[in-house]
Amino acid sequence: MDATTHLGMLSIVPATLAIILAFITRNTVFSLAVACFVGVMAMGEGLMGFPTLLKETLGTTSFSWILLLELFIGTVIAFFQRTGAIQNFSSWVERRALTRIKVQLIGWVMGMFVFFSDYFSPLFVGSTMRGLTDRYRVSREKLAYIADSTSAPVSVLVPITGWAVFIAGLLIGMGPIENAEQAMSVFLHAIPFNIYAWLSVAMVGLVIVGIVPLFGPMKKAERRAQEENKVLRDGAEPLLGEELTDIEPYPAARTSLLLNFFMPVLIVIGVAIGTFATTGSAKTMEAFLAAAVFLGIVMRLQGIPFNDIMKTATSGMKGVMPAIIILALAYSLNQLSKNMGTADYIVELTQGWLTPALLPAMTFLIAAVIAFSTGTSWGTFAIMMPLSVPVAFNFTGDAISPLIYATVAAVAGGGVFGDHCSPLSDTSVLASTGAASDHIDHIKTQIPFALAVAIIALVAYLAVGFWWIEVA
């Protein structure tokens, strides 16, 4: 690889600085802003480089999509709260003679059920379950962990999601893979090899029921919640605006659990899956727009004044602004990392180590480092698939074999693992938002469990690599 495609050690400074500052200051916005400013200055773009970076990064279709998606999700959640839908759902669930463990298991199952969107899943699980988990003294950190670890890990395992289409699309043209059908076949065969994703989802359930004991900062957070009845630590800053958390149900509204909760959820799922089946792309943003419009009409028919509905929608949008600001700066840092060749530098440092036996494990590690540094799984996939999969085909003589499946899965799992540990990650930001948890507290409590799963996955990939050498 040409060294001119990156800035050497300098290329990893902004991302590293953002991560270090985030843990030291516990202020993600400040950390990201400083990292972006330092990065543009290091590239010699001067004082105007920072606003130029923001303008070029945020004025894109991809950011507009996530902005609108978050605004519509915020609106739906605000409507849920104004109609008392979340409280009614909590009361309905609670009548099922729940225990503290059962409440957490419901959140775990809900996260797996909403598999089609890693953006909606953590927000939906967190906002829906927060009242119940608070009542049963489950820490917000634990709720954020449940929501986060059942979002991307599930989406990357299901073949009818945007994740599957994206990964399969990257595989077309590699080795003997000539079309989308063959690429999707490789993705399907790679699913059993996606060890990190499988174990990450399973770990949540094992932690909830106590088979895997709590340890590290999560143990401290749970002890605080149970013994002191503090779901948040003293001084924590929940990543959710008060405009959204403080919304009270409209007095004497004739609301219905079916119309105000289950129907909007079914609309979101139906539109997302229906558009995926017909167009090959899940229209998630449009699904939430449809749900918001439906809820607004139902609220008006139920006697809630039009002005109140619009005020509630505005409050919902304001409530997700803390997450949107972080996502905006994270997108900017990711673009800066691309401009500086951060991923190219990381790959160049490690590409000489790759052997057939080490390929899956090294691919997993490199993907994890890139995702951790940039906060994006999909960006990691786009970088690592074209680099690692052709190497795997070279080792197999262009034959599709378990080494190919393991390499594809290692990229997918490594990207999700790095995403789980990074304070720059969009899905982790949304998990903190949904659970109304302090974002850095969420990351600090989740990392030990993600790391434990990653170590097991790494050992498994080493075993797969050496096994392939023997049978090849």
Side-chain angles (χ1 to χ4, degrees), residues 34-238:
V34 169
C36 288
F37 182 77
V38 169
V40 295
M41 293 298 288
M43 292 186 70
E45 297 182 2
L47 294 176
M48 296 305 295
F50 182 48
T52 300
L53 174 67
L54 295 176
K55 179 178 65 177
E56 293 177 351
T57 304
L58 306 186
T60 61
T61 301
S62 59
F63 183 75
S64 298
W65 180 85
I66 185 62
L67 171 66
L68 291 172
L69 175 63
E70 292 310 305
L71 292 177
F72 294 149
I73 289 176
T75 300
V76 169
I77 293 174
F79 284 167
F80 277 167
Q81 295 192 191
R82 191 57 172 163
T83 59
I86 291 179
Q87 293 90 330
N88 292 341
F89 174 75
S90 299
S91 299
W92 177 76
V93 171
E94 200 166 14
R95 289 197 294 270
R96 272 62 191 168
L98 297 179
T99 62
R100 189 173 185 273
I101 290 178
K102 288 181 179 179
V103 167
Q104 296 175 73
L105 288 175
I106 290 173
W108 181 52
V109 172
M110 286 176 62
M112 290 185 285
F113 175 70
V114 190
F115 61 84
F116 58 88
S117 172
D118 60 310
Y119 284 121
F120 176 51
S121 179
L123 282 169
F124 176 69
V125 172
S127 60
T128 303
M129 296 301 298
R130 191 168 61 240
L132 272 174
T133 54
D134 282 358
R135 200 172 308 165
Y136 284 85
R137 300 186 180 185
V138 177
S139 66
R140 295 282 178 83
E141 295 95 325
K142 182 78 168 293
L143 177 58
Y145 166 62
I146 294 171
D148 201 355
S149 293
T150 54
S151 56
V154 175
S155 296
V156 81
L157 290 173
V158 179
I160 54 171
T161 64
W163 289 64
V165 172
F166 181 70
I167 292 173
L170 293 173
L171 295 174
I172 297 175
M174 297 182 188
I177 304 173
E178 297 179 353
N179 53 50
E181 184 178 350
Q182 292 173 331
M184 184 56 72
S185 175
V186 171
F187 176 83
L188 288 169
H189 284 87
I191 290 175
F193 291 88
N194 199 338
I195 301 164
Y196 178 81
W198 284 111
L199 293 182
S200 184
V201 177
M203 176 68 87
V204 177
L206 296 175
V207 168
I208 289 172
V209 299
I211 294 176
V212 174
L214 292 173
F215 57 92
M218 185 73 79
K219 183 177 182 179
K220 181 179 179 181
E222 281 290 89
R223 184 184 296 121
R224 180 201 67 226
Q226 294 183 67
E227 296 178 359
E228 303 176 34
N229 196 21
K230 293 180 179 179
V231 294
L232 288 164
R233 66 170 174 83
D234 294 332
E237 296 183 7

Side-chain angles (χ1 to χ4, degrees), residues 27 73 133 135 203 275 279 303 326 423 441:
N27 190 306
I73 289 176
T133 54
R135 200 172 308 165
M203 176 68 87
T275 53
T279 69
I326 290 178
D441 287 350

Side-chain angles (χ1 to χ4, degrees), residues 324-402:
I324 289 175
I325 292 171
I326 290 178
L327 289 172
L329 289 170
Y331 267 61
S332 299
L333 182 60
N334 184 31
Q335 182 60 49
L336 182 63
S337 295
K338 290 180 182 177
N339 296 342
M340 299 181 77
T342 302
D344 292 337
Y345 176 64
I346 293 171
V347 171
E348 186 179 277
L349 284 177
T350 55
Q351 63 182 359
W353 307 348
L354 297 182
T355 65
L358 295 178
L359 180 60
M362 288 305 303
T363 297
F364 179 80
L365 276 178
I366 298 168
V369 171
I370 292 174
F372 181 76
S373 302
T374 61
T376 168
S377 294
W378 283 38
T380 300
F381 301 159
I383 293 164
M384 286 300 298
M385 286 295 179
L387 290 169
S388 59
V389 176
V391 173
F393 274 121
N394 182 56
F395 288 142
T396 65
D398 272 355
I400 297 177
S401 73

